[in-house]
Amino acid sequence: MSESKAWIAGTTGLKLTPDEIAFFRDERPWGFILFARNISEPAQIEDLCAHLRDLVDRDDALVLIDQEGGRVQRLRPPLVPDYPSGSQLGALFRENEELGLRSAWLLSRLHAFDLLKLGINVDCLPVLDVPVEGANDVIGTRAYGKHPEIVTAMGRAAADGLLAGGMLPVIKHIPGHGRAFADTHHELPTVATPLEELAEHDFAPFRALADLPMAMSAHVIFSAVDPKNPATTSGKVVEEIIRDYIGFDGLLMSDDVSMNALSGDYFDRTKAIFAAGLDIVLHCHGIMDQMKAVAACTPELEGKAFERAQRAIEYRKEPDTSNEEELREEFQRTFEAVA
């Protein structure tokens, strides 16, 4: 059995408050996630990551971030450059497949250079969602393209770049967020598309990358499978689609439990996530009353969930011997070549 509970926590600021220190020591999250509010300068980020690991007494504790490029990029200049979005990389792929794939690998490898030295070892990337015309732009330019073949190829290259740099990737948002006509931060979208079409379009990239160690769920109803519950709280979607059809047997974490696509209070939401068969619940905002409710309903990390968590940690490898400056120059040349 693990010494951790089955949740990932956010924090409120640049350093931990006394209340957070006591709470995390008692409630032992399996991992943590950082946002722009937690980011100042390199020494501060390193200290924060080290403090979080010290509190849970685990040197291998995972610290996550959403560092995609484009509008979802928590580290910004002067810490790191403003990087291109997934859609910009996808446009390059459509011009030149070889350059597009190389650019996806390079960007992820650069993310790894940026993040790992600060103590961050998981990047919630690649985005494997395949948007359709008219869908809400919550995914939008974050996606590599509107064709599953492009998203699959680019997603694999992006994941490989992170792994080469000693980082763990997280595929998201399984089993697909590309048809959502609402922003799940604010409301719950329902997708009424037939299952056969979902399988060919939405699920395909996730099925192709199901060997990867971690995935984040979609707060989206797929009425062809379960007309009442979003994937995050649907045992049918988790078992029949994610685990069975897609074939993903890695660590399945929720998207943020505080998003308004989910209903009920934090006790209800957390219980529903675990009842559906997810391994880990994610709480992002660091709001203490919410975290206390989530932690109160979160079990010890044990059984299958613990095995998947251990496999994910063991999936991380030492970084390759790539030269950072050479790769940065190559990445710059790649985009200049098609500018």
Side-chain angles (χ1 to χ4, degrees), residues 216-254:
M216 180 185 292
S217 69
H219 295 337
V220 176
I221 286 178
F222 296 91
S223 58
V225 185
D226 183 344
K228 294 182 179 179
N229 301 296
T232 299
T233 59
S234 171
K236 281 179 69 65
V237 172
V238 170
E239 287 306 316
E240 295 178 14
I241 303 302
I242 296 175
R243 296 301 190 194
D244 187 8
Y245 177 76
I246 288 174
F248 179 74
D249 192 37
L251 186 81
L252 182 58
M253 59 186 279
S254 74

Side-chain angles (χ1 to χ4, degrees), residues 20 38 45 48 69 134 145 173 184 198 327 336:
E20 287 173 332
N38 308 121
I45 304 167
L48 178 58
H173 305 80
T184 48
L198 292 171
L327 293 188
E336 288 175 350

Side-chain angles (χ1 to χ4, degrees), residues 269-336:
R269 295 179 186 193
T270 304
K271 289 175 184 177
I273 286 168
F274 287 115
L278 275 72
D279 300 308
I280 296 279
V281 63
L282 170 68
H283 183 274
C284 290
H285 290 295
I287 298 170
M288 185 58 71
D289 288 347
Q290 295 177 9
M291 290 199 296
K292 286 181 177 179
V294 170
C297 298
T298 295
E300 298 290 323
L301 186 61
E302 57 189 358
K304 276 266 194 182
F306 173 65
E307 293 171 12
R308 291 172 179 138
Q310 285 300 107
R311 288 204 306 267
I313 290 172
E314 291 164 5
Y315 209 94
R316 277 190 65 223
K317 306 300 180 190
E318 287 297 313
D320 64 17
T321 57
S322 295
N323 180 284
E324 180 176 357
E325 283 309 308
E326 289 178 0
L327 293 188
R328 290 195 184 280
E329 290 173 5
E330 182 186 354
F331 186 71
Q332 189 67 32
R333 288 195 308 272
T334 299
F335 273 87
E336 288 175 350

Side-chain angles (χ1 to χ4, degrees), residues 7-313:
W7 71 301
I8 293 170
T11 71
T12 54
L14 299 178
K15 62 181 182 178
L16 298 174
T17 67
D19 285 348
E20 287 173 332
I21 291 169
F23 179 70
F24 291 145
R25 188 176 281 134
D26 288 342
E27 294 296 344
R28 300 167 289 118
W30 181 69
F32 300 92
I33 188 165
L34 302 186
F35 289 85
R37 65 178 183 268
N38 308 121
I39 303 299
S40 175
E41 47 89 26
Q44 171 269 321
I45 304 167
E46 290 181 65
D47 288 347
L48 178 58
C49 291
H51 196 179
L52 292 168
R53 291 190 172 98
D54 182 64
L55 287 177
V56 295
D57 196 24
R58 286 179 42 237
D59 290 339
D60 65 354
L62 300 184
V63 178
L64 294 75
I65 201 164
D66 294 292
Q67 188 75 354
E68 299 172 11
R71 60 187 169 87
V72 178
Q73 183 177 325
R74 311 306 185 199
L75 273 68
R76 293 281 182 184
L79 288 173
V80 305
D82 277 327
Y83 288 120
S85 66
S87 65
Q88 289 174 286
L89 300 179
L92 180 57
F93 178 92
R94 291 192 297 276
E95 293 266 339
N96 182 312
E97 290 189 10
E98 184 178 353
L99 282 180
L101 293 173
R102 181 65 176 166
S103 72
W105 187 93
L106 283 168
L107 180 53
S108 284
R109 187 63 187 88
L110 295 179
H111 286 326
F113 277 123
D114 295 337
L115 299 171
L116 198 60
K117 64 188 176 187
L118 301 174
I120 301 165
N121 52 12
V122 182
D123 192 358
C124 297
L125 188 73
V127 177
L128 297 185
D129 305 309
V130 188
V132 298
E133 290 298 331
N136 186 279
D137 66 1
V138 67
I139 300 299
T141 58
R142 299 167 66 189
Y144 295 114
K146 295 182 178 179
H147 301 282
E149 298 82 8
I150 294 177
V151 172
T152 297
M154 294 289 281
R156 176 65 72 181
D160 286 347
L162 290 173
L163 290 165
M167 301 281 294
L168 282 179
V170 178
I171 57 175
K172 62 185 185 185
H173 305 80
I174 198 168
H177 205 303
R179 290 182 191 272
F181 281 75
D183 182 346
T184 48
H185 293 87
H186 306 296
E187 55 186 312
L188 175 61
T190 296
V191 171
T193 307
L195 190 57
E196 296 78 8
E197 190 174 344
L198 292 171
E200 291 179 5
H201 187 270
D202 304 65
F203 302 164
F206 294 97
R207 199 176 191 197
L209 275 70
D211 57 295
L212 291 175
M214 297 176 66
M216 180 185 292
S217 69
H219 295 337
V220 176
I221 286 178
F222 296 91
S223 58
V225 185
D226 183 344
K228 294 182 179 179
N229 301 296
T232 299
T233 59
S234 171
K236 281 179 69 65
V237 172
V238 170
E239 287 306 316
E240 295 178 14
I241 303 302
I242 296 175
R243 296 301 190 194
D244 187 8
Y245 177 76
I246 288 174
F248 179 74
D249 192 37
L251 186 81
L252 182 58
M253 59 186 279
S254 74
D255 202 346
D256 184 13
V257 67
S258 61
M259 291 165 70
N260 289 327
L262 301 182
S263 60
D265 60 25
Y266 285 90
F267 297 98
D268 293 337
R269 295 179 186 193
T270 304
K271 289 175 184 177
I273 286 168
F274 287 115
L278 275 72
D279 300 308
I280 296 279
V281 63
L282 170 68
H283 183 274
C284 290
H285 290 295
I287 298 170
M288 185 58 71
D289 288 347
Q290 295 177 9
M291 290 199 296
K292 286 181 177 179
V294 170
C297 298
T298 295
E300 298 290 323
L301 186 61
E302 57 189 358
K304 276 266 194 182
F306 173 65
E307 293 171 12
R308 291 172 179 138
Q310 285 300 107
R311 288 204 306 267
I313 290 172

